Amino acid sequence: MNISFVHAESPVWDSNRKTLYWVDALQQEVHAMKFDTMEHKMKRIEYGEVNIVMPIANSKRLLVAVRAQLFLLDMDKPGDYALRLVTSLDEGKPDNILNEGKADARGRFWGGTKGHQFNDTVEPDQGSLYCIEKPYYNKRVALRPVTISNGITWSLNSSVLYYIDSSTKMIEAFDFDLDTGEISHRRVIVNITDYGASSPAIPDGMAIDRDGMLWVALMFEGAIVRINPDLRTIVEAYRLPVSLTTSLTWGGDHLEDLIVTTSRRNLDSKKIKDEPLAGSIFILHGLGTGGVPDNLFVFDNADNY
């Protein structure tokens, strides 16, 4: 795309609508673009930082994270009428942000928070990873403490949850019980510093391909990497002409386009001049693999809630 954003994040592909959703977190915007017509819609929330968007099963509404709260969003309604509160997280920590999230194969929402951020520094150990599911959508703490809860995805058979707390510089794995939503047996898959990543680099968003390999955006490194989780090694790496790569997802008719969001958050004028494409959305073709459809959040009767 030839337009840029302050901090593009949370790309997700809706295979049913052939639509890409993403957010500009700091501008408090949710974006939607149909690939067949290139029709672009935008909704400004004006209620706080927006870091997550995802489709809801059997609904025209979307799930969005605003500050440390989850809402149902109707893109067609004006102002606050567009929002319906689902739950609040990290009560008593008003500067915390719900930073990243996805749905598992049963439609549960998994999302994590980060502590107060000043420039590029985040207060350590103030966040948590939560699981939220029907029928009451009560929150359950799955992991605590974390500093910057970030990328999350599941193995193709849903037996493993892959997870990133960016501050650790590691991609980790847990055994995952799909029936109960419980995680166990935490272990390290890859530490990015073992592969020559620069000292400020951190792992950010994450996706899985149809071959079971993980794709991770390396923030401050301007790169994305492909990881074999069984061999616990990086097998491919790609450089982008920007330094702040935030997240990625598979999209397109055959889920063979890798869509990468980027940022220009906190870049000074010289850096922006050196990186004129900072904040753009990139689409990578011909990678020899593709994705699988994203899981959808399940919220019964969402359109009437």
Side-chain angles (χ1 to χ4, degrees):
M1 297 180 64
N2 60 358
I3 55 176
S4 63
F5 304 90
V6 177
H7 190 77
E9 259 282 11
S10 189
V12 60
W13 175 257
D14 186 333
S15 295
N16 296 320
R17 296 186 176 94
K18 306 296 184 186
T19 297
L20 175 70
Y21 297 99
W22 73 96
V23 301
D24 189 338
L26 301 184
Q27 298 298 100
Q28 306 178 38
E29 295 171 351
V30 177
H31 293 262
M33 189 181 72
K34 290 184 175 295
F35 265 36
D36 53 355
T37 64
M38 299 301 288
E39 176 190 0
H40 177 211
K41 295 177 65 174
M42 185 272 287
K43 176 74 175 177
R44 183 170 286 112
I45 304 295
E46 296 184 350
Y47 187 54
E49 189 170 326
V50 180
N51 266 308
I52 300 168
V53 60
M54 69 172 64
I56 300 171
N58 304 312
S59 174
K60 69 176 184 178
R61 287 179 167 170
L62 302 169
L63 184 71
V64 296
V66 185
R67 295 186 291 186
Q69 297 175 309
L70 276 177
F71 293 89
L72 304 188
L73 170 69
D74 190 324
M75 292 279 283
D76 297 323
K77 290 188 176 181
D80 286 351
Y81 290 102
L83 297 174
R84 293 290 184 270
L85 179 65
V86 175
T87 192
S88 297
L89 306 174
D90 284 3
E91 291 92 341
K93 297 181 179 180
D95 293 323
N96 279 19
I97 295 292
L98 184 50
N99 194 53
E100 184 73 79
K102 286 185 180 177
D104 68 22
R106 293 288 171 82
R108 305 179 187 94
F109 173 80
W110 290 75
T113 56
K114 67 177 180 180
H116 173 64
Q117 180 169 349
F118 179 74
N119 291 328
D120 290 329
T121 302
V122 176
E123 188 176 355
D125 294 336
Q126 296 301 305
S128 301
L129 175 66
Y130 292 93
C131 176
I132 298 164
E133 63 183 309
K134 58 184 292 188
Y136 302 114
Y137 302 98
N138 296 324
K139 54 186 176 289
R140 169 170 60 85
V141 175
L143 187 65
R144 177 183 287 165
V146 298
T147 297
I148 309 173
S149 192
N150 233 317
I152 186 169
T153 194
W154 287 262
S155 61
L156 298 180
N157 65 2
S158 293
S159 66
V160 179
L161 180 146
Y162 299 106
Y163 175 69
I164 293 170
D165 176 353
S166 293
S167 66
T168 69
K169 299 184 180 287
M170 295 186 296
I171 293 85
E172 298 182 285
F174 296 82
D175 290 345
F176 183 71
D177 188 320
L178 183 60
D179 291 331
T180 65
E182 297 292 336
I183 60 175
S184 60
H185 187 209
R186 185 178 188 175
R187 65 265 192 195
V188 176
I189 298 298
V190 161
N191 186 325
I192 64 166
T193 59
D194 294 337
Y195 291 86
S198 62
S199 60
I202 58 173
D204 202 317
M206 177 167 52
I208 195 166
D209 68 28
R210 61 182 59 153
D211 300 308
M213 305 292 178
L214 304 175
W215 293 75
V216 178
L218 299 187
M219 185 73 161
F220 307 113
E221 185 79 356
I224 57 174
V225 293
R226 189 186 192 204
I227 296 168
N228 184 321
D230 295 327
L231 299 180
R232 302 189 180 192
T233 186
I234 294 175
V235 294
E236 295 178 50
Y238 298 87
R239 289 275 181 184
L240 276 71
V242 298
S243 56
L244 305 183
T245 42
T246 59
S247 194
L248 66 181
T249 193
W250 295 97
D253 289 340
H254 304 289
L255 292 176
E256 292 178 348
D257 298 327
L258 189 63
I259 301 164
V260 183
T261 50
T262 71
S263 173
R264 48 190 169 94
R265 180 178 192 168
N266 296 329
L267 296 183
D268 59 29
S269 57
K270 180 181 184 305
K271 192 70 170 176
I272 291 176
K273 184 177 180 180
D274 292 340
E275 298 182 12
L277 295 178
S280 298
I281 295 177
F282 295 85
I283 302 178
L284 280 62
H285 308 284
L287 295 174
T289 186
V292 294
D294 284 326
N295 300 317
L296 300 179
F297 178 58
V298 173
F299 192 107
D300 294 339
N301 205 29
D303 287 348
N304 298 316
Y305 170 75

